[in-house]
């Protein structure tokens, strides 16, 4: 397996700049969460990777080489808009799509059998796709992306419309593929799921990657906060330089340390908070507080944009993204 690289992609629809130097990579054996608002550029990026759209600038590489038709045959793609034949039975459809990727008839049928069983739609093999529930259609769409044993998975909103059981099944499949060395990138608005499942996350805004890293990396902040469940009141915090109480609810106090003073800054300052709390009474809980991915995402997408970017953001609602 190898790395999928998206390098400085640009794309415009007329006067609308949909991608502005979009750059990130998806490494072998990793699940990469690609998140952003509607119109931010996620689907445009994926379509360029698949060759459905041509970039104005930049390059997509796989295994260090510019991606072409041969490399794209080795990608499993799941579009947000289901790309299945509605009147074709599930088994025939999956077998046919696997054959298009070069599998023999017997290998294609074996793959169809395997993935319909794994994804819980084996009993629906004889049904037309249009007669399936939206969730089962989504499972069949994922099976279509997997039947040719792809070396890369690119999935656009794969969890949309799934019930919790189906989410667990699909999550297990993606983790299994990543554990086998397959680079997996998927977009989603379900940020709690992204936070739980992904090894790294990229946040795109107005066609630009504004944050890329592991969840732990992204959750680090200049000011560190700690929750202390212990002595009532907050007068004991006065014993700690560069510390202040930012909230107080009953016996739970959230303490903020000035930049450079927390667990990710100068070592030992958080211990001063703990010692001051213990000196004031028993402590039942002492833990670092970091923002969730949802909070980070909200901060990023709500931050002021340049006038040009703001114009683009408004306009992208009217073009493919």
């Amino acid at each position: 397996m190898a790395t999928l690289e998206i390098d400085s992609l640009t794309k415009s629809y007329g006067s609308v700049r949909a991608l502005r130097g979009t750059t990130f990579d998806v490494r072998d054996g990793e699940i990469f969460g690609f998140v952003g608002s509607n119109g931010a550029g996620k689907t445009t990026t994926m379509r360029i990777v698949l060759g459905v759209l041509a970039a104005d600038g930049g390059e997509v590489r796989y295994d260090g080489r510019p991606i072409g038709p041969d490399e794209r045959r080795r990608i499993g793609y799941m579009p947000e808009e289901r790309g299945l034949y509605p009147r074709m039975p599930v088994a025939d459809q999956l077998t046919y799509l696997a054959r298009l990727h070069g599998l023999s008839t017997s290998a294609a049928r074996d793959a169809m059998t395997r993935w319909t069983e794994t994804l819980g739609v084996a009993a629906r093999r004889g049904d037309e796709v249009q007669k399936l529930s939206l969730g089962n259609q989504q499972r069949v769409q994922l099976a279509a992306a997997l039947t040719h044993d792809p070396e890369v998975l690119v999935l656009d909103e794969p969890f949309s419309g799934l019930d919790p059981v189906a989410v667990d099944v699909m999550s297990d499949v993606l983790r299994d593929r990543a554990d086998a060395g397959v680079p997996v990138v998927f977009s989603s608005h379900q940020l709690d799921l992204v936070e739980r499942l992904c090894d790294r996350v990229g946040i795109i805004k107005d066609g630009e990657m504004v944050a890329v890293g592991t969840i732990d990396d992204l959750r680090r902040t200049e000011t560190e906060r700690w929750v202390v469940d212990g002595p009532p009141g907050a007068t004991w915090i006065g014993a700690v330089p560069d510390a202040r109480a930012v909230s107080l609810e009953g016996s739970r106090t959230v303490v903020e340390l000035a930049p450079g003073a927390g667990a990710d800054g100068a070592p030992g300052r958080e211990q001063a908070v703990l010692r001051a709390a213990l000196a004031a009474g028993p402590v039942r809980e002492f833990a670092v507080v970091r923002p969730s991915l949802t909070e980070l995402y909200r901060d990023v997408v709500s931050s002021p944009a340049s006038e040009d970017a703001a114009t683009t953001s408004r306009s992208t609602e009217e073009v493919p993204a």
Side-chain angles (χ1 to χ4, degrees), residues 36 112 214 223 230 277 295:
M112 176 275 297
T214 67
T223 57
E295 293 168 326

Side-chain angles (χ1 to χ4, degrees), residues 209-281:
M209 299 300 291
V210 293
V212 178
T214 67
I215 296 296
D216 284 345
D217 288 340
L218 297 179
R219 293 175 68 191
R220 290 194 177 97
T221 58
E222 289 186 5
T223 57
E224 199 72 27
R225 292 184 175 186
W226 296 81
V227 61
V228 180
D229 185 357
T235 56
W236 56 270
I237 297 174
V240 184
D242 301 318
R244 68 186 185 95
V246 294
S247 72
L248 179 61
E249 297 182 7
S251 62
R252 292 175 64 85
T253 306
V254 175
V255 181
E256 182 178 86
L257 296 171
D264 295 324
R269 294 301 303 276
E270 74 279 4
Q271 295 301 315
V273 175
L274 179 58
R275 286 194 295 270
L278 287 170

Side-chain angles (χ1 to χ4, degrees), residues 112-284:
M112 176 275 297
T113 300
R114 172 193 174 194
W115 285 113
T116 52
E117 289 177 352
T118 298
L119 292 167
V121 287
R124 311 307 298 271
R125 289 172 186 156
D127 294 348
E128 295 178 357
V129 169
Q130 65 182 357
K131 296 181 179 179
L132 303 180
S133 67
L134 293 179
N136 280 338
Q137 289 183 30
Q138 196 82 328
R139 296 184 193 216
V140 174
Q141 186 76 70
L142 179 60
L146 291 165
T147 50
H148 61 291
D149 195 21
E151 295 181 14
V152 182
L153 279 175
V154 178
L155 313 173
D156 199 354
E157 295 289 345
F159 296 96
S160 178
L162 295 182
D163 61 64
V165 173
V167 166
D168 290 343
V169 170
M170 191 168 290
S171 298
D172 289 344
V173 168
L174 299 190
R175 175 47 61 192
D176 176 74
R177 292 294 80 210
D179 289 344
V182 174
V184 178
V185 54
F186 75 88
S187 65
S188 179
H189 289 102
Q190 296 169 252
L191 298 184
D192 55 338
L193 177 62
V194 171
E195 185 167 0
R196 186 173 76 245
L197 185 59
C198 293
D199 301 298
R200 287 192 304 138
V201 174
I203 302 176
I204 187 170
K205 178 183 179 183
D206 300 324
E208 293 182 281
M209 299 300 291
V210 293
V212 178
T214 67
I215 296 296
D216 284 345
D217 288 340
L218 297 179
R219 293 175 68 191
R220 290 194 177 97
T221 58
E222 289 186 5
T223 57
E224 199 72 27
R225 292 184 175 186
W226 296 81
V227 61
V228 180
D229 185 357
T235 56
W236 56 270
I237 297 174
V240 184
D242 301 318
R244 68 186 185 95
V246 294
S247 72
L248 179 61
E249 297 182 7
S251 62
R252 292 175 64 85
T253 306
V254 175
V255 181
E256 182 178 86
L257 296 171
D264 295 324
R269 294 301 303 276
E270 74 279 4
Q271 295 301 315
V273 175
L274 179 58
R275 286 194 295 270
L278 287 170
V283 173
R284 291 172 291 278

Side-chain angles (χ1 to χ4, degrees), residues 2-23:
T3 298
L4 177 68
E5 300 172 83
I6 289 83
D7 186 5
S8 305
L9 292 186
T10 60
K11 179 67 178 178
S12 294
Y13 301 100
S15 62
V16 177
R17 296 174 63 191
L19 296 181
R20 305 160 173 260
T22 301
T23 299

